[in-house]
Amino acid sequence: AELPRFVELLEILGDWLWSRGIKQWEPGSNRADTCRLARYLASGHLLLATCDSELAGGCIVTCEPTEEWAFAPGPSAYLHKLAVARQWAGGGLGSKLIERAVELTHERKLLRLRLDCWDGNDVLRAYYRRNGFSELDAVQSHDYMVRLFERQAE
């Protein structure tokens, strides 16, 4: 029931990113991808953070790998669409969502949490490294490169 609200947050953030020249989450792309996000939820969780009933952030944690991870099977969870509304950015909410995703991964008795992000976003890549992820190879995904990351679920 909360997926449309989360997708709207992703669209707002996509507009913000593109307005700053960061070609990630193209406006309209998350709304168009709602069916795939719903499929991820079927094998996972939508983690949401709210403040006074306003959506502050969220992410999806699933057991379904993306095509970028097809080469590396194994007991893993996958983090998708980590998002924090701009008014709560910089306060540690994203890190708290990541920690909860790691906890869920561990609770499911999975060994690692994986994610991918656009390889051209150096700031985001550094953010994931600071949050305990190991940076792995970059792989081709459609017409761009994505960087793979994983973190052990302790």
Side-chain angles (χ1 to χ4, degrees), residues 85-122:
R86 295 304 309 148
Q87 60 266 41
W88 286 282
L93 180 56
S95 295
K96 288 177 183 172
L97 287 165
I98 288 171
E99 289 307 314
R100 182 62 187 127
V102 170
E103 290 172 7
L104 277 173
T105 302
H106 182 74
E107 289 168 10
R108 291 177 170 184
K109 304 204 181 325
L110 301 171
L111 299 179
R112 63 200 141 258
L113 179 63
R114 293 173 165 169
L115 63 88
D116 61 76
C117 72
W118 176 48
D119 194 46
N121 190 333
D122 293 331

Side-chain angles (χ1 to χ4, degrees), residues 1-137:
E2 294 289 341
L3 184 58
R5 209 169 138 201
F6 180 62
V7 169
E8 186 57 31
L9 172 62
L10 295 174
E11 287 297 328
I12 291 166
L13 292 173
D15 288 341
W16 179 82
L17 288 166
W18 278 66
S19 74
R20 282 153 181 76
I22 301 169
K23 304 302 182 197
Q24 187 171 328
W25 290 355
E26 180 177 1
S29 65
N30 285 293
R31 195 170 291 114
D33 207 22
T34 300
C35 288
R36 182 171 65 101
L37 297 176
R39 189 180 75 237
Y40 286 158
L41 284 181
S43 72
H45 297 277
L46 175 60
L47 301 179
L48 297 177
T50 59
C51 184
D52 296 327
S53 75
E54 189 174 339
L55 184 57
C59 63
I60 295 174
V61 182
T62 181
C63 295
E64 184 178 334
T66 59
E67 61 194 42
E68 292 84 8
W69 285 100
F71 74 94
S76 302
Y78 299 85
L79 179 68
H80 299 284
K81 306 294 184 180
L82 178 65
V84 174
R86 295 304 309 148
Q87 60 266 41
W88 286 282
L93 180 56
S95 295
K96 288 177 183 172
L97 287 165
I98 288 171
E99 289 307 314
R100 182 62 187 127
V102 170
E103 290 172 7
L104 277 173
T105 302
H106 182 74
E107 289 168 10
R108 291 177 170 184
K109 304 204 181 325
L110 301 171
L111 299 179
R112 63 200 141 258
L113 179 63
R114 293 173 165 169
L115 63 88
D116 61 76
C117 72
W118 176 48
D119 194 46
N121 190 333
D122 293 331
V123 172
L124 186 56
R125 288 171 54 193
Y127 175 79
Y128 287 130
R129 288 191 304 269
R130 284 192 312 274
N131 277 277
F133 286 88
S134 297
E135 189 170 282
L136 307 175
D137 294 329

